[in-house]
Amino acid sequence: MKKNVLKPAIALFLVTFMAVSDAAPGTASEGFKRPAQEISRLLLTAEPPTPVIHVAAEKIALLHYEGVIDQQRMQTPRLGLAGYRYDPVTGITGLDALVERVEIISSNPQKATSPRQWRAGSDSRSAARFAFVQFSPSGKYLSALQVEPGKPSQFLIYNIESRQQTMLSTRVNAAWGNPCQWTTEESLLCRMRPLKQGRAPQTGVSPIVVEHTGQALPTRTYSNLLKDQSSSAQFDYYFASDLAHLYTDKKVVPTRIAGGMITEFEAAPQGRFVIITRLQSSYSHLVPAKQFPSQVEVWDLQSSKRLYQSAAFGFGLQPDEEGGEGADPKSIEWAPNLPVTAGFIQRRVDASGAATYIWKRLRAPFEVGVDGAETVAISDYPIKEFGWSSAGTPWFIAATNKPDEVAVYAVLKAGVQRVWQGTRDQGDGSNAIRVNGRQGPALETTQRIFLVTDGLNHDAPRPSLTEVNLHSGEQRRLFTAEAGVYEPVIAILDKEGEVLLTSRESATDAPQLVRVAGNKATTIYKTPNPYPQLDKIVRKRITYKRQDGLKLSALMYLPPNAGKKPLATLIWIYPREFEGPEKAARADARQFQYHRIKGVSPVAAALAGYVVINYPKLPIVHTQDNDDVYLPQLVTGAESLVDYLVEEGISDPKRIVIGGHSFGAFSAANLLIHSDRFATAIAMSGAYNRTFTPFGFQHETRSFWDAEDYYAKISPFFSANQYKKPILLVHGGADPNPGTPTIQARRFFHALVGEGVTVRYVELPFEEHVYRGEETVLHASWEMINWLDRTVGEKPVFNN
């Protein structure tokens, strides 16, 4: 029998920007809510700092990011331009967390002094924050962009030794991201706002017209695109740049190269030459600026001459035809510690359609052009990454004939030498230590490079460091983390490769930086316990088997009242897809690391008295492309976990909730239909109608028109009439993610209302795909816990 359809007045019920009240159905009230004080403190705590390393200067800059974003910055008006959300006052794009302060410490305990503190703004109460913090070449200075709501951003240079800060009055242009690169110890090359600009164009009102003729161009559906002539004019105005040299003594010297829409730039190590990527003037209204047609140019900054210009590439341009060839100009790289040399990858297709990938190099003064470039190496498979080591050895990473596998090669006088081969999944082996940890060229010491791995296996991750001889291919394990700790090597601190910097943490210990020299380990920075609220929560890794025998695991948080009787439980999921059962069975590194509390963390529910299963391993194992295994493996994996929790007396089988974010929300909504084990679902920022992503998603490569039945089968929207349990939908009001625009949740909500389903819809103002604002993070967490209380709490409101 069909459920009663709600009255029309209720069917129009929509909570725009704020939460539904607990009043009569169909009404709404404004106002943010907060969970209990203990939970709020947990969610507002900033994560441990992020280290930026300068090995030669023996310095580490610890970047202390804000835990949440102040609501004033969240509410700042922004322009949607070519895929960006641009703040015309501060001049930056996006809503990323920024740095509150920088703590500078020594990587050498024998030279340690009191940490230096560099704080954004005048004091701890200031709303100013840092972006794009970076060391100068010798480590004498730090530079950053200071961002403060309602004010133009300022570029700062900080002398670490004297603790003096220099503020440059000129305005750099950070619309595209990091505006400056250090070229010498006393100067930077920067994108600047053009000096002669009139008033900003105003937003106009005109029809939105987009026409396409020509070849098929499958693309995702993006947000914040250019719409009309006025938005294109605003894009030109705010994103145009000139290049200039900035000096530590505040001097600004413009270059004489042509300005314009410079999306990327890379100065040569000696600073004389620069590679820029320039947008072409024909803008698309279908894709963001990152896909607009572009050209790459090489300029001599001394003579102001353009030495090279590539053919245009980007959205809408015809790919290479059979028998053709072309450079991939985005991949141009400078060689460090060599006479000025640039390298790029060229793709060549023969008459049969088979492609080869050629790494070529050009040396200054670049007079011969691309056709006269020298060949460095040739690969039958796509070259994923390439460059020169710190000693000048060419090396590259290429795909192989196996999915998710890569090989590392060195280019020697005797020819191309393969030095390592294996899976790249989650960092296995193919990540080389750089000169400054994760920055700079790959470190080479006496013909050796150093590869790091997460050490994933079936039992526990054991991060390691392997030395590889580039000439013999001989490998030697230099470091393996102890059992019970998660300790990857993040830098090598000496020229011999014998002194290491690691980041050590465990399930119970916050990350600390450790200097390892032989058998001696010295802690140089220890993070104070950021989450004392969780001291009374029992954290435990559990293992169980899927019905087909695949061994799975999960991280469980038990509240203080656990053990007396089975409790209501929240299972928070994000299924991952794998090419085979071997990878699917590997342990999840997160289960051995310290707490990760960020945004709307489900761990908060443990403080409210609920058992929380955080990111259990729910693998979707594919044996071939486009096999329809998502739903059956999702259901069997989730139900196997529920069976374990019930059999162990942990969870009350009538009070189990499934939840997730993004693909996890999509999967949680599916489980509420296709499994009878869950009392309700909490879905945050999910996709519920796969016809909105018609050209594939996740592992799926078929278009909607090639697999209409499958797209419909796995779309919760198409099964709205099958819901019998209540569901909470939460979504960011400005979600720019192509697969999860806000309309996904709105339409799903209306479909559920039309079918008489008990549903609550919460739209968070100004939020994007991941929630970052202080008030909205706390409100969404309040919604989550309130929903748990109402559906599976001790005195539930809904009768399930």
Side-chain angles (χ1 to χ4, degrees):
M1 182 176 178
K2 184 177 177 61
K3 291 171 280 194
N4 292 329
V5 177
L6 300 185
K7 295 179 181 180
I10 301 176
L12 293 175
F13 167 54
L14 173 63
V15 186
T16 305
F17 296 148
M18 300 294 178
V20 184
S21 71
D22 293 327
T27 65
S29 67
E30 295 186 357
F32 289 110
K33 295 181 173 65
R34 292 189 171 213
Q37 189 176 34
E38 183 180 43
I39 296 173
S40 295
R41 282 200 302 267
L42 174 74
L43 297 171
L44 295 180
T45 301
E47 290 189 296
T50 300
V52 177
I53 304 158
H54 197 294
V55 171
E58 298 185 319
K59 294 173 183 173
I60 301 173
L62 299 170
L63 309 187
H64 292 263
Y65 283 88
E66 57 193 346
V68 291
I69 296 176
D70 182 85
Q71 205 63 29
Q72 180 185 358
R73 182 148 63 92
M74 292 290 298
Q75 296 176 12
T76 299
R78 286 174 169 79
L79 301 172
L81 298 173
Y84 293 96
R85 291 181 69 195
Y86 178 76
D87 177 357
V89 178
T90 62
I92 66 169
T93 55
L95 272 172
D96 295 323
L98 300 177
V99 177
E100 291 183 310
R101 63 186 175 92
V102 182
E103 187 176 2
I104 302 116
I105 64 173
S106 175
S107 61
N108 188 342
Q110 296 179 350
K111 298 181 181 180
T113 58
S114 298
R116 288 167 170 78
Q117 299 281 347
W118 185 30
R119 184 179 293 277
S122 57
D123 55 47
S124 60
R125 294 170 294 178
S126 173
R129 299 289 185 266
F130 290 142
F132 316 120
V133 179
Q134 53 189 338
F135 276 110
S136 64
S138 75
K140 179 180 179 180
Y141 300 103
L142 283 170
S143 64
L145 187 71
Q146 182 168 277
V147 181
E148 187 170 359
K151 297 180 180 180
S153 298
Q154 300 286 340
F155 192 75
L156 308 179
I157 297 174
Y158 179 72
N159 187 313
I160 298 172
E161 297 304 321
S162 69
R163 307 189 188 193
Q164 296 298 308
Q165 173 180 284
T166 300
M167 180 177 291
L168 282 79
S169 58
T170 186
R171 288 193 67 184
V172 298
N173 192 345
W176 299 104
N178 189 359
C180 296
Q181 295 176 5
W182 287 92
T183 52
T184 71
E185 189 53 32
E186 304 297 332
S187 67
L188 305 98
L189 184 64
C190 298
R191 275 182 295 223
M192 312 293 294
R193 293 293 301 271
L195 292 176
K196 297 180 181 180
Q197 277 191 313
R199 290 185 177 182
Q202 299 301 304
T203 301
V205 178
S206 63
I208 297 174
V209 180
V210 182
E211 180 176 333
H212 173 70
T213 59
Q215 80 268 32
L217 293 173
T219 184
R220 306 176 79 180
T221 303
Y222 296 94
S223 303
N224 301 310
L225 298 178
L226 298 179
K227 299 174 182 178
D228 51 27
Q229 186 174 357
S230 67
S231 63
S232 294
Q234 288 178 323
F235 180 55
D236 274 327
Y237 180 86
Y238 289 115
F239 283 69
S241 302
D242 292 332
L243 288 181
H245 296 287
L246 269 61
Y247 292 86
T248 55
D249 62 1
K250 296 188 177 182
K251 183 171 61 176
V252 179
V253 179
T255 67
R256 291 180 293 164
I257 72 172
M261 304 299 274
I262 299 174
T263 64
E264 300 175 27
F265 69 104
E266 185 71 32
Q270 291 80 6
R272 176 177 172 179
F273 301 95
V274 65
I275 298 170
I276 68 171
T277 303
R278 188 192 304 273
L279 289 191
Q280 302 305 292
S281 58
S282 178
Y283 300 149
S284 171
H285 291 194
L286 292 175
V287 295
K290 292 178 181 178
Q291 298 182 36
F292 286 2
S294 304
Q295 288 180 302
V296 165
E297 303 167 1
V298 179
W299 287 77
D300 185 329
L301 292 172
Q302 287 185 5
S303 66
S304 301
K305 290 183 178 179
R306 186 174 60 197
L307 306 176
Y308 166 75
Q309 183 178 44
S310 76
F313 60 95
F315 182 76
L317 300 181
Q318 291 284 355
D320 295 336
E321 301 293 340
E322 288 187 356
E325 65 179 58
D328 176 5
K330 282 188 175 181
S331 65
I332 292 179
E333 296 282 348
W334 293 113
N337 304 323
L338 291 176
V340 180
T341 303
F344 61 92
I345 304 301
Q346 191 173 61
R347 176 177 175 268
R348 178 175 296 164
V349 182
D350 63 21
S352 68
T356 55
Y357 301 85
I358 308 168
W359 175 6
K360 292 200 169 187
R361 68 180 170 210
L362 283 168
R363 293 189 173 93
F366 308 107
E367 294 173 346
V368 296
V370 170
D371 293 336
E374 302 171 280
T375 296
V376 179
I378 299 175
S379 172
D380 291 332
Y381 298 96
I383 294 177
K384 304 286 188 180
E385 186 178 342
F386 76 103
W388 286 265
S389 74
S390 59
T393 301
W395 73 292
F396 65 98
I397 299 174
T400 72
N401 59 352
K402 297 181 180 179
D404 296 329
E405 186 178 75
V406 295
V408 179
Y409 299 89
V411 183
L412 310 172
K413 290 182 179 179
V416 176
Q417 171 81 36
R418 185 175 64 192
V419 297
W420 186 90
Q421 183 170 340
T423 175
R424 197 172 190 176
D425 184 54
Q426 295 198 25
D428 280 5
S430 64
N431 292 329
I433 289 283
R434 306 286 168 158
V435 168
N436 286 313
R438 297 186 178 96
Q439 297 180 343
L443 175 66
E444 180 184 346
T445 299
T446 59
Q447 300 179 350
R448 300 169 296 158
I449 63 171
F450 306 88
L451 303 179
V452 293
T453 172
D454 279 347
L456 298 179
N457 55 52
H458 292 178
D459 299 318
R462 298 287 298 277
S464 63
L465 177 71
T466 300
E467 167 195 285
V468 180
N469 187 298
L470 293 176
H471 289 262
S472 67
E474 181 182 357
Q475 300 184 17
R476 183 167 67 98
R477 183 65 56 87
L478 299 181
F479 175 85
T480 302
E482 300 173 8
V485 299
Y486 184 78
E487 188 175 8
V489 175
I490 59 175
I492 292 176
L493 300 179
D494 70 329
K495 295 181 180 179
E496 289 72 36
E498 297 176 354
V499 181
L500 314 177
L501 181 67
T502 69
S503 177
R504 178 183 294 178
E505 62 184 297
S506 70
T508 55
D509 297 313
Q512 54 185 302
L513 295 179
V514 180
R515 181 185 174 102
V516 179
N519 295 324
K520 184 180 180 181
T522 305
T523 299
I524 60 175
Y525 181 83
K526 184 173 178 59
T527 305
N529 180 6
Y531 311 120
Q533 302 91 336
L534 298 180
D535 289 348
K536 60 185 178 182
I537 301 297
V538 176
R539 170 180 156 152
K540 181 181 179 182
R541 182 175 183 262
I542 58 175
T543 58
Y544 54 97
K545 285 188 177 181
R546 202 165 73 172
Q547 294 172 8
D548 59 3
L550 187 64
K551 185 179 178 181
L552 303 178
S553 59
L555 188 58
M556 178 169 64
Y557 287 83
L558 297 174
N561 57 329
K564 300 176 182 178
K565 61 178 181 179
L567 296 177
T569 300
L570 170 63
I571 302 175
W572 199 259
I573 64 171
Y574 192 98
R576 289 192 60 208
E577 303 189 70
F578 297 90
E579 296 293 339
E582 172 68 21
K583 295 177 186 176
R586 290 177 176 176
D588 190 331
R590 292 175 295 187
Q591 297 170 7
F592 301 86
Q593 295 173 296
Y594 194 61
H595 310 291
R596 293 294 190 268
I597 310 297
K598 190 173 185 179
V600 187
S601 173
V603 175
L607 292 176
Y610 296 94
V611 175
V612 175
I613 309 298
N614 200 19
Y615 293 115
K617 204 75 180 286
L618 282 183
I620 310 300
V621 182
H622 297 276
T623 56
Q624 59 185 12
D625 289 340
N626 301 318
D627 49 4
D628 298 345
V629 297
Y630 164 72
L631 275 179
Q633 291 196 28
L634 174 69
V635 171
T636 191
E639 291 187 347
S640 297
L641 172 58
V642 169
D643 290 344
Y644 170 87
L645 295 172
V646 172
E647 290 169 4
E648 293 295 318
I650 297 167
S651 302
D652 182 340
K654 296 182 179 180
R655 297 195 296 154
I656 298 178
V657 180
I658 192 71
H661 178 269
S662 194
F663 191 59
F666 165 73
S667 299
N670 264 314
L671 283 169
L672 201 60
I673 310 167
H674 299 287
S675 174
D676 61 0
R677 307 296 182 89
F678 304 101
T680 182
I682 299 173
M684 295 188 175
S685 297
Y688 310 107
N689 184 344
R690 281 301 171 190
T691 67
F692 285 3
T693 56
F695 297 109
F697 54 91
Q698 304 299 115
H699 188 271
E700 181 59 56
T701 58
R702 293 172 295 183
S703 75
F704 165 74
W705 298 275
D706 293 329
E708 292 183 20
D709 290 343
Y710 182 66
Y711 272 67
K713 182 179 179 181
I714 66 171
S715 293
F717 179 87
F718 281 76
S719 301
N721 63 339
Q722 297 179 30
Y723 278 86
K724 298 179 177 63
K725 306 288 181 65
I727 183 170
L728 169 65
L729 302 176
V730 181
H731 217 96
D735 190 343
N737 189 44
T740 58
T742 310
I743 196 70
Q744 281 267 15
R746 290 180 181 172
R747 292 292 181 261
F748 187 38
F749 166 76
H750 279 284
L752 294 170
V753 169
E755 289 298 321
V757 178
T758 299
V759 57
R760 182 178 177 92
Y761 176 67
V762 182
E763 188 171 306
L764 303 171
F766 313 110
E767 283 288 5
E768 299 188 341
H769 189 58
V770 177
Y771 315 146
R772 297 184 176 95
E774 177 176 342
E775 297 297 337
T776 42
V777 164
L778 293 179
H779 184 87
S781 300
W782 179 89
E783 289 285 350
M784 175 180 69
I785 293 169
N786 179 59
W787 188 256
L788 292 172
D789 292 343
R790 296 173 66 191
T791 55
V792 297
E794 294 297 330
K795 296 180 180 180
V797 175
F798 302 135
N799 183 7
N800 295 327

